[in-house]
Each structure stands twice: as C-alpha cells, then as structure tokens.
C-alpha cells in the first residue's frame, strides 16, 4: 500500500551563524534572528547587514493612519450589515404583521443582542480624559436612516462617515482616536493588572 504526504527538510544551523546584536536607545539587545519584533510593540526591525560599531541610525515611527482609517470603515460597514439584517428580520407588511421573510422577528435573544450592539456603538466611552474624543460623532461618524428600497426595508441607526473629518482626527490625534475603539488601563500600582474584563 502506498501513502502520500509532505516532507520538510530538517533545518541545519550554519557553522558561522551568530546572534544579532544592536542597541536601542543605548540598551544592548541580542536576538537569534535578524527579524526582531519583540522590543517595541507593533514594530518589527529587519537587520539586513553588519554595520560598524559606531554606526547610529535614527528611526522615526509614524502612525499608520491609512490602515486605521480602513479598519474603522470596515467596522462601520460590519455594523451597518447588522442593522440591515435586523431591519429585514423585523420587516412589517402593509397590514402591520411581520413579513414572511422576517424569521427572527419574535426571537427575543436576537432583538436584545442587536439592541446591545447598537447601545455600545452609540454610547460615550468612559474613562477618557482631557480633550480626546469620547464618541464616534467626534470622529466624523453620524447615525442616519436609509430609506426603504425595492430590495430592503428602511434601516435606522446606520453609520455614515465624513471621510475628511475622520482623516483629520487620525492625523491630529491618532492615540485619541484609538482610545475610542480600544481598551487601556493606567495604574499607579505595579501590582494591579487586568485579569479579565467584559
């Protein structure tokens, strides 16, 4: 009987291979690979060649506003898909009864879940201080109602994005925009950590 499969060669360490050694802000760092991604969060250094010991390079790291903008747009589109699906599942006929395609209209779990998601998206983010944004409206995102069409019923609470305002917010206060979507904890006690959160 014959069998088939895949085979990978056994990796061999080069006889003359040595660790990558460099300093970051004066702190010596040694790694076994030329790809280093564990010294600065979300930053990868690719060490391409040996340089003289006295070589000093300045690395400027800028926020990737294009990726952030695209992810925010994808978030809005995903939320709008939920709202559109909800509208179809609660669609009414002219006589006031649910449409034949509204299979989840009487499902309380479905209704509660969608209402909770909408509540989160429309709420003010707590714990943000100073002049940083605390709600989507400050990022150029507003809630509108899409009128009914031949293919879909009216859809309420749909996110609409002012691209100019969103881009300006990302350019002027990238970290502030990130705080609206992410979770952060600052503590004055080193023994306090986040074990779990809702």
């Amino acid at each position: 009987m014959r069998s088939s499969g895949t085979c990978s060669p056994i990796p061999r360490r080069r006889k003359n291979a040595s660790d990558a050694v460099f300093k970051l802000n004066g702190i010596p760092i040694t790694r076994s690979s030329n790809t280093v991604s564990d010294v600065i969060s979300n930053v990868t250094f690719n060490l391409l060649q040996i340089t003289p010991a006295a070589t000093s390079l300045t690395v400027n790291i800028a926020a990737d506003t294009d990726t952030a903008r695209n992810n925010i747009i994808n978030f809005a589109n995903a939320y709008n898909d939920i709202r559109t699906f909800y509208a179809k599942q609660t669609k009414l006929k002219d006589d006031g009864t649910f449409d034949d395609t509204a299979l989840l209209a009487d499902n309380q779990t479905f209704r509660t879940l969608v209402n909770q998601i909408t509540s989160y998206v429309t709420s003010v983010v707590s714990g943000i201080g100073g002049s940083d944004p605390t709600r989507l409206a400050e990022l150029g995102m507003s809630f509108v109602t899409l009128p009914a069409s031949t293919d879909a019923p009216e859809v309420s609470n749909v996110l609409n994005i002012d691209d100019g305002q969103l881009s300006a917010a990302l350019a002027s206060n990238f970290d502030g925009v990130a705080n609206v979507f992410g979770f952060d904890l600052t503590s004055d006690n080193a023994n306090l950590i986040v074990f779990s959160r809702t």
Side-chain angles (χ1 to χ4, degrees):
M1 176 181 283
R2 298 180 61 188
S3 62
S4 63
T6 60
C7 178
S8 300
I10 298 174
R12 298 181 184 275
R13 181 178 291 275
R14 295 178 309 200
K15 291 181 180 179
N16 297 327
S18 59
D19 290 338
V21 179
F22 66 103
K23 288 184 178 181
L24 180 64
N25 293 335
I27 301 172
I29 296 174
T30 303
R31 295 292 185 272
S32 59
S33 170
N34 288 337
T35 301
V36 181
S37 58
D38 62 347
V39 292
I40 298 179
S41 179
N42 298 319
V43 175
T44 298
F45 293 100
N46 292 309
L47 309 177
L48 304 179
Q49 64 186 32
I50 297 175
T51 58
T55 302
S56 178
L57 301 174
T58 300
V59 179
N60 294 314
I61 301 172
D64 188 350
T65 56
D66 287 339
T67 298
R69 174 184 165 276
N70 290 336
N71 286 336
I72 291 172
I73 291 172
N74 291 338
F75 159 77
N77 290 338
Y79 169 76
N80 290 344
D81 287 344
I82 292 173
R83 294 299 309 175
T84 300
F85 181 73
Y86 179 78
K88 290 179 179 179
Q89 291 302 313
T90 55
K91 181 180 178 181
L92 297 174
K93 294 188 287 189
D94 292 337
D95 62 1
T97 60
F98 288 116
D99 191 84
D100 296 337
T101 61
L103 303 179
L104 297 175
D106 290 324
N107 188 307
Q108 192 58 42
T109 301
F110 168 69
R111 285 178 171 268
T112 300
L113 180 62
V114 174
N115 288 335
Q116 285 179 341
I117 292 172
T118 301
S119 176
Y120 292 144
V121 171
T122 58
S123 65
V124 174
V125 181
S126 61
I128 297 178
S131 59
D132 286 345
T134 59
R135 65 185 75 200
L136 297 181
E138 296 174 67
L139 309 180
M141 305 174 74
S142 57
F143 294 92
V144 299
T145 297
L146 294 181
S149 65
T150 55
D151 299 328
E154 179 182 277
V155 184
S156 61
N157 289 324
V158 172
L159 274 174
N160 182 62
I161 299 178
D162 182 328
D163 191 62
Q165 187 175 346
L166 175 60
S167 297
L170 285 166
S172 64
N173 189 359
F174 187 87
D175 290 339
V177 174
N179 286 338
V180 174
F181 292 95
F183 174 79
D184 189 26
L185 170 72
T186 302
S187 172
D188 58 3
N189 187 330
N191 295 318
L192 179 63
I193 62 172
V194 177
F195 179 73
S196 67
R197 66 185 183 89
T198 59

